[in-house]
Amino acid sequence: KQEVTQIPAALSVPEGENLVLNCSFTDSAIYNLQWFRQDPGKGLTSLLLIQSSQREQTSGRLNASLDKSSGRSTLYIAASQPGDSATYLCAVGGSARQLTFGSGTQLTVLP
Amino acid sequence: DAGVIQSPRHEVTEMGQEVTLRCKPISGHDYLFWYRQTMMRGLELLIYFNNNVPIDDSGMPEDRFSAKMPNASFSTLKIQPSEPRDSAVYFCASSPHRGSYEQYFGPGTRLTVT
């Protein structure tokens, strides 16, 4: 059974810092990996999706990497802003399309 | 496209009552997923459909939960009878048949059972 772990559970940084969120998974036989953002009381917004054959994906100030063999992914956020404050969720996709979620990292960017 | 639509957004009910949650997936998406989010267990997949057919319902917690997808544009998740431990946010997501398998989530239904 796939297990997904996100460290740290919470992170507080001053505005402008570059930061890295970590995600690890136990079964390397994945189809894809998705990073989501969740604002309090809201739904999930997809940020980046990396296929199992890819090493990284970029969107604006966000960069996600994937190392399948070691069971790790990172989400890099450049020049953080207060508007980036949210919970970031990592989800691993299996071949049957099911997503297994981590417990999330709650990010606070201080102005 | 309006995205995945869920209703109601909030539901408060008393223990023992029947609860029905509704979802309209993105037009053209062949896959529909129901998730539940709680503080204790995080996000869990309950059931998913492909072309209106249930594929995997192993995440449905017990017989009090049932889900249907009568057509490509509508799905329901029903809880009967409801219990306080069912209180959670229930999300619906959809995904296209081809491409990246990316899942698109609705805004969720916050269910409170008193």
Side-chain angles (χ1 to χ4, degrees):
Chain A
K1 179 186 173 187
Q2 181 73 269
E3 293 184 5
V4 181
T5 302
Q6 291 187 247
I7 294 173
L11 181 64
S12 184
V13 300
E15 182 177 4
E17 267 201 16
N18 303 324
L19 58 101
V20 174
L21 306 181
N22 296 293
C23 172
S24 61
F25 46 94
T26 55
D27 186 351
S28 61
I30 69 171
Y31 190 83
N32 58 31
L33 187 144
Q34 248 180 294
W35 281 94
F36 293 89
R37 167 184 174 141
Q38 185 174 29
D39 292 284
K42 304 291 186 182
L44 279 68
T45 301
S46 180
L47 298 173
L48 289 165
L49 181 146
I50 310 177
Q51 300 286 14
S52 62
S53 58
Q54 297 174 321
R55 297 283 292 182
E56 65 177 334
Q57 281 285 339
T58 298
S59 176
R61 294 182 294 109
L62 305 179
N63 176 275
S65 68
L66 174 63
D67 185 342
K68 248 185 27 169
S69 60
S70 67
R72 295 178 187 275
S73 176
T74 61
L75 179 66
Y76 174 82
I77 302 177
S80 58
Q81 303 170 357
D84 295 330
S85 298
T87 296
Y88 290 80
L89 293 156
C90 165
V92 174
S95 58
R97 289 185 176 254
Q98 74 281 15
L99 285 178
T100 303
F101 281 84
S103 53
T105 294
Q106 186 173 350
L107 173 66
T108 302
V109 181
L110 303 169
Chain B
D1 200 313
V4 176
I5 299 172
Q6 291 187 249
S7 65
R9 294 294 308 277
H10 302 273
E11 177 80 33
V12 180
T13 190
E14 292 184 348
M15 181 174 64
Q17 297 297 306
E18 177 180 295
V19 175
T20 299
L21 312 181
R22 297 172 176 79
C23 175
K24 176 179 168 55
I26 293 173
S27 177
H29 283 191
D30 295 341
Y31 286 81
L32 183 139
F33 306 82
W34 282 101
Y35 293 89
R36 178 172 69 175
Q37 185 176 38
T38 62
M39 289 293 292
M40 290 296 294
R41 300 174 67 88
L43 264 159
E44 302 174 289
L45 177 65
L46 299 177
I47 185 171
Y48 77 95
F49 295 82
N50 177 26
N51 289 325
N52 314 337
V53 176
I55 302 300
D56 184 353
D57 65 354
S58 60
M60 296 285 263
E62 48 198 276
D63 292 345
R64 296 185 298 106
F65 285 69
S66 63
K68 294 182 180 180
M69 191 164 185
N71 57 62
S73 59
F74 183 66
S75 176
T76 59
L77 178 67
K78 185 176 294 186
I79 308 172
Q80 166 64 19
S82 58
E83 297 182 3
R85 59 192 167 119
D86 301 331
S87 297
V89 181
Y90 291 81
F91 288 102
C92 176
S94 69
S95 177
H97 172 67
R98 298 184 186 279
S100 63
Y101 291 10
E102 187 169 2
Q103 292 190 19
Y104 298 82
F105 279 70
T109 295
R110 182 173 296 276
L111 173 65
T112 303
V113 183
T114 59

